[in-house]
């Protein structure tokens, strides 16, 4: 059970359909009366995070129990993409921009989020392709309610290049922030949390799903997936290493200093990562969603049991 005298942050990674793992894990945390004071996420973590920040966890559970691939995206035939590109090159068509059209996902997000009040500060990010800049995006608490611009920014956080169409936003072209910065951990640290709950969708022991990579599109998809997974794992490892050193220094009545001269603070952490790969990020089959959801619940129970044991020892 969480201590409400402490500030608790929630960090959610990307992973497409593997986001069901996070929702299963969160069910157990909420059963233990956890409340989060700040949330950050990337890609599907941004989608799950937005629902939690607007206090719609039961709706999020229902969404994952009923979601299908057609609710999230529409896949364009490869022949059509090739034809459109050829027509574009001779000047009689617009260029193809992605394999998947995310208009279904935009409709889904809008149906749940438009007009909702944000109860918990929520952070995510995206990249502006024109200048390559990473943009830290925030939806703060207050009188503001989720609007169309917020939906487009959240959608941009999941717009993996090549896989999905970029998001057009006020004459800018936005894509997944993970290509520049897949570390939503950094965005919660200014809140000075006492505890961080981190939920990746890949094992941290470097296991990888084995997939077929026999054509250019599969190679491109796999390359981006591996890049995003590895960067996030490295960010977690960096956080854990620094946090461990800070804790060791504190036991010696010493402190480690940040570049600005202020001391680092030791932060309790619960990392809820799957123990084996969860499969293809675009596999929205009912059977796989259920398996991932149950895997998240089981892993959360294990992590919290270990945390409670260590806390009482």
């Amino acid at each position: 059970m969480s201590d409400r005298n402490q500030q608790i942050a929630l960090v959610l990674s990307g992973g497409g359909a593997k986001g069901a793992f996070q929702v299963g894990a969160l069910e157990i945390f909420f059963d233990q009366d956890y409340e989060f004071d700040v949330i950050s996420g990337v890609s599907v973590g941004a989608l799950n995070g937005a629902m939690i920040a607007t206090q719609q966890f039961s709706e999020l559970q229902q969404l994952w129990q009923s979601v299908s691939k057609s609710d999230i995206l529409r896949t364009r035939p490869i022949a059509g993409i090739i034809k459109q590109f050829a027509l574009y090159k001779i000047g009689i068509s617009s260029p193809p921009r992605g394999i998947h059209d995310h208009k279904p996902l935009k409709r889904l997000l809008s149906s749940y989020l438009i007009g909702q009040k944000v109860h918990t500060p929520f952070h995510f990010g995206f990249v502006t392709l024109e200048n390559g800049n990473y943009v830290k995006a925030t939806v703060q608490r207050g009188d503001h309610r989720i609007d169309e611009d917020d939906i487009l920014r959240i959608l941009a956080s999941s717009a993996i290049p090549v896989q999905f169409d970029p998001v057009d936003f006020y004459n800018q072209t936005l894509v997944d922030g993970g290509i520049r910065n897949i570390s939503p951990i950094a965005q919660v640290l200014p809140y000075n949390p006492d505890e961080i709950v981190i939920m990746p969708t890949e094992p941290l022991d470097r296991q990888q799903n084995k997939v077929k990579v026999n054509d250019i599109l599969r190679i491109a998809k796999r390359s981006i997936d591996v890049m995003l997974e590895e960067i996030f794992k490295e960010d977690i490892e960096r956080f854990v290493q620094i946090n461990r050193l800070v804790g060791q220094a504190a036991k010696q009545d010493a402190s480690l200093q940040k570049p600005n001269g202020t001391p680092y603070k030791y932060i309790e952490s619960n990392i809820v990562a799957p123990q084996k790969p969860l499969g293809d990020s675009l596999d929205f089959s009912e059977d796989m969603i259920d398996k991932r959801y149950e895997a998240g619940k089981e892993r959360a129970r294990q992590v919290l049991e270990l945390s409670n044991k260590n806390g009482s020892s």
Side-chain angles (χ1 to χ4, degrees), residues 8-13 21-22 25 29 36 40 184-186 188-189 195-201 204 232 235-237 239-240 243 267-274 299 303:
I8 305 176
L10 174 65
V11 177
L12 302 168
S13 79
F21 174 88
Q22 296 171 344
F29 275 81
F36 299 105
S40 69
I185 299 172
V188 303
L189 295 180
E195 180 180 347
I196 294 182
V197 177
I198 304 173
M199 294 187 177
T201 57
L204 298 182
F232 191 74
D235 287 340
I236 293 175
E237 290 171 359
F239 165 76
V240 169
N243 204 42
I267 304 171
E268 295 289 341
S269 60
N270 281 314
I271 301 174
V272 187
R299 187 61 183 141
V303 170

Side-chain angles (χ1 to χ4, degrees), residues 97-308:
R97 307 178 76 201
I99 301 170
H100 307 291
D101 179 354
H102 50 43
K103 287 187 179 68
L105 177 57
K106 182 176 181 294
R107 287 194 295 269
L108 187 68
L109 287 174
S110 297
S111 69
Y112 280 98
L113 292 173
I114 285 288
Q116 292 292 330
K117 187 174 181 179
V118 176
H119 298 269
T120 307
F122 170 53
H123 297 263
F124 54 105
F126 48 81
V127 166
T128 304
L129 280 183
E130 283 78 6
N131 55 26
N133 289 340
Y134 178 80
V135 180
K136 294 180 180 179
T138 304
V139 182
Q140 291 284 3
R141 290 178 297 177
D143 295 331
H144 175 73
R145 293 179 181 271
I146 298 286
D147 58 23
E148 181 75 11
D149 284 355
D150 294 322
I151 295 294
L152 289 174
R153 293 188 305 150
I154 294 168
L155 186 65
S157 184
S158 62
I160 300 173
V162 181
Q163 289 195 45
F164 297 96
D165 290 342
V167 173
D168 296 317
F169 187 78
Y170 293 97
N171 297 317
Q172 296 178 315
T173 308
L174 311 182
V175 296
D176 194 330
I179 66 172
R180 279 291 305 271
N181 179 9
I182 199 168
S183 178
I185 299 172
Q187 290 183 270
V188 303
L189 295 180
Y191 288 81
N192 200 32
D194 301 292
E195 180 180 347
I196 294 182
V197 177
I198 304 173
M199 294 187 177
T201 57
E202 287 291 329
L204 298 182
D205 60 0
R206 306 287 171 172
Q207 293 183 60
Q208 292 285 355
N209 295 313
K210 292 184 179 181
V211 299
K212 294 180 179 180
V213 286
N214 54 353
D215 61 56
I216 188 171
L217 295 178
R218 289 180 181 271
I219 291 170
K221 177 182 182 298
R222 182 58 176 163
S223 297
I224 293 173
D225 284 348
V226 170
M227 177 187 72
L228 300 184
E229 291 165 7
E230 289 304 307
I231 293 173
F232 191 74
K233 290 176 188 176
E234 289 172 5
D235 287 340
I236 293 175
E237 290 171 359
R238 188 180 304 113
F239 165 76
V240 169
Q241 183 180 35
I242 293 174
N243 204 42
R244 184 183 298 117
L245 292 172
V246 171
Q248 291 173 351
K251 290 179 180 179
Q252 302 297 322
D253 294 323
S255 66
L256 299 182
Q257 305 294 314
K258 300 177 184 177
N260 63 8
T262 59
Y264 280 102
K265 171 186 174 180
Y266 179 78
I267 304 171
E268 295 289 341
S269 60
N270 281 314
I271 301 174
V272 187
Q275 294 179 300
K276 59 182 180 180
L278 296 174
D280 191 329
S281 61
L282 294 181
D283 185 349
F284 286 90
S285 65
E286 182 178 352
D287 180 58
M288 283 303 297
I289 294 295
D290 289 344
K291 287 181 179 179
R292 291 163 180 157
Y293 195 98
E294 291 303 317
K297 290 171 62 175
E298 179 60 25
R299 187 61 183 141
R301 290 190 189 100
Q302 294 170 352
V303 170
L304 285 174
E305 182 180 351
L306 180 61
S307 176
N308 293 335

